[in-house]
Each structure stands twice: as C-alpha cells, then as structure tokens.
Amino acid sequence: MKALITGASSGLGREMAFALAERGCELVLCARREERLRELAAELPTVCHVIAADVSDEEECRLLYSAVRGDDLEIVINNAGFGLFGEFLDTDLDEELRMIDTNIRAVHILTKLAVQDFAKRGHGYILNVASSAGFLPGPLMATYYATKNYVLRLTQALREELRHRNSAVKVCALCPGPVDTEFNKVAGVRFALNGLDAKRVAREAVDGMFAGKTVIVPGLAMKAMTVARHFAPDSLLARITYHFQHKKGVK
C-alpha cells in the first residue's frame, strides 16, 4: 500500500509518515524542503520516495499526481497548509492568495484526481487536513478559517456523493485544534490554548482514516466545542472567536 503525504517535512505530515510506516506503507513524501524530506526518509523504516514540490503552484500539483498515480497508490493525505494572523484590512494580499492556493486549490486538485482514480478501482483513502477552524467564523485569521471551512465542507459533500454510489472509497477530514507544530511560527501567533501532541493527533488521524470516519476531531476540548457551537448563533461564535484570537500575540 502506497501513500502520498503533502507537507511531510514537519509537524503532522512528518508524524503521519511515521504512523503509516509502522503499518508497512510505502511512502511518497512531498514538501518544498527537499533536504528535510530526505532526512525524514532516512529515519523511516519503510520504502520512501521524495518529491520536492510547491503544491501552491497548480502545474507542480498536477505533475506531482502524475508522478505518483498508479494502481499501488491507495492513500492521499492533503496536509500541506499554513495560516496568517492579523486583521483582514492589514494582512498581505499576495500571502493570502498563496494560502488559498495551498490550503484550497492544492487540496481540491489532488482530491479530485485521486478520487476519480480510486472510484474506478473501488478502493482508496483520502485524508484532508482541515481544522477546528473549519467549524467557525475566524476574525483575525479570516482567510485561514475560510480555507479550512472549504476543506471540511468539500470533504463532507464528497463523502455523501460516494455513499450514494455505494463506493468503498473513504474520504475524511481531520479537524484538530491547536497542535504543537511549526504552524504558529509560520502564522505569526502563539496559541492561547495548549497544543495537542502532534504524534498523538497523527496516530488518531491515521486510525480514524482506516476506520472510515468522516470527520476526525482529536481531543475532548475540541469535541465539546463542535457540539457546543450548535447552540450559539454565528454572530456570537464570531465574537467568542475574536476574543480568543485576540489573545494571540504577534511574534
């Protein structure tokens, strides 16, 4: 069984590589930082292939899938993504567009291409890394929250379409809260809440994917939040989110 992981050079992508390697999966590790990918490949107890690519570029994204597609590819994990903190009036437009290309367009392209192949074969797994942010409006990280909402809703809709086809292909979304990774450094924030251990989240994600879950929410606090949000209007959720976002200090 071969798995493609984007954003594999650090954080959740790296930890999911270890989780899949323990299950005997052959891995295709993709990220922009080739040196870090090769260092990771040397640590993993399985066959690894390294592809340095920037999935925010549509052509590179399509070339990546062309390079890995085949009957032995059974898992695609869309993990590459990043955030940006600040008021929408002030944040950099070009950086936001790169975020949209990474968090949305790349996920859309790889999900579309993979699910078309998987559906023809009648099996396969796609894990899209969304976020608990996908359940909420996100003042002070408006674009990031919106991208994760897209990933979550796309995944849920596709899952229902596959159900109506009686397809065995499994598509799921991982929706963690804060995780101890490089995310906060890239986004320019420090979390107001303690982050979950990346290894724990990765293992829960992989287990959930193979178990056929639609949405995976690690941690009791985030599970409680997803339930509680149903009892509050979006206007109140936006105010609450702003309050917690405001506690994040720009580094």
Side-chain angles (χ1 to χ4, degrees):
M1 182 179 288
K2 181 187 287 186
L4 166 66
I5 306 174
T6 67
S9 61
S10 64
L12 284 177
R14 175 184 172 85
E15 296 300 337
M16 284 191 279
F18 278 100
L20 288 171
E22 290 176 1
R23 291 173 174 262
C25 294
E26 181 180 345
L27 300 177
V28 180
L29 308 173
C30 177
R32 292 182 299 168
R33 297 174 289 189
E34 183 174 357
E35 183 177 348
R36 292 188 66 167
L37 290 176
R38 295 199 178 280
E39 291 172 356
L40 172 59
E43 296 180 45
L44 291 166
T46 191
V47 175
C48 294
H49 310 275
V50 168
I51 299 180
D54 182 355
V55 295
S56 69
D57 183 283
E58 180 180 341
E59 183 177 0
E60 288 195 39
C61 204
R62 289 178 180 272
L63 288 172
L64 168 65
Y65 188 75
S66 295
V68 302
R69 72 180 303 183
D71 290 342
D72 56 347
L73 180 68
E74 295 190 48
I75 302 169
V76 171
I77 298 181
N78 286 305
N79 172 68
F82 67 96
L84 182 65
F85 180 83
E87 291 192 10
F88 188 77
L89 275 68
D90 301 327
T91 46
D92 183 76
L93 176 59
D94 290 336
E95 191 71 359
E96 287 177 319
L97 293 176
R98 187 169 75 86
M99 189 198 311
I100 291 169
D101 287 340
T102 304
N103 295 11
I104 292 180
R105 283 171 61 87
V107 173
H108 190 108
I109 291 168
L110 291 174
T111 297
K112 169 79 82 170
L113 296 176
V115 79
Q116 288 176 336
D117 283 344
F118 292 174
K120 290 175 185 176
R121 300 203 301 263
H123 59 86
Y125 299 89
I126 300 174
L127 172 60
N128 291 330
V129 178
S131 168
S132 59
F135 296 111
L136 300 165
L140 300 182
M141 290 188 76
T143 304
Y144 173 76
Y145 274 59
T147 65
K148 292 306 182 180
N149 186 281
Y150 183 96
V151 172
L152 173 60
R153 297 309 185 191
L154 175 71
T155 303
Q156 291 174 315
L158 175 56
R159 179 63 177 252
E160 180 64 10
E161 290 179 6
L162 291 169
R163 188 183 71 82
H164 276 274
R165 287 174 173 252
N166 295 314
S167 174
V169 177
K170 303 301 182 186
V171 182
C172 60
L174 173 64
C175 296
V179 182
D180 288 330
T181 67
E182 294 181 350
F183 174 89
N184 55 337
K185 180 179 179 181
V186 174
V189 302
R190 60 173 179 266
F191 290 122
L193 303 174
N194 292 328
L196 295 175
D197 177 67
K199 181 179 292 187
R200 170 191 165 188
V201 173
R203 291 183 184 279
E204 191 167 338
V206 170
D207 289 344
M209 177 185 71
F210 283 122
K213 292 185 177 180
T214 303
V215 178
I216 304 163
V217 182
L220 291 176
M222 286 301 109
K223 284 184 173 69
M225 182 278 290
T226 60
V227 174
R229 69 186 174 85
H230 294 294
F231 301 96
D234 285 346
S235 57
L236 178 57
L237 291 173
R239 292 187 179 190
I240 293 171
T241 305
Y242 183 94
H243 172 75
F244 282 102
Q245 295 284 79
H246 194 63
K247 290 184 177 181
K248 298 175 179 179
V250 178
K251 292 189 171 182

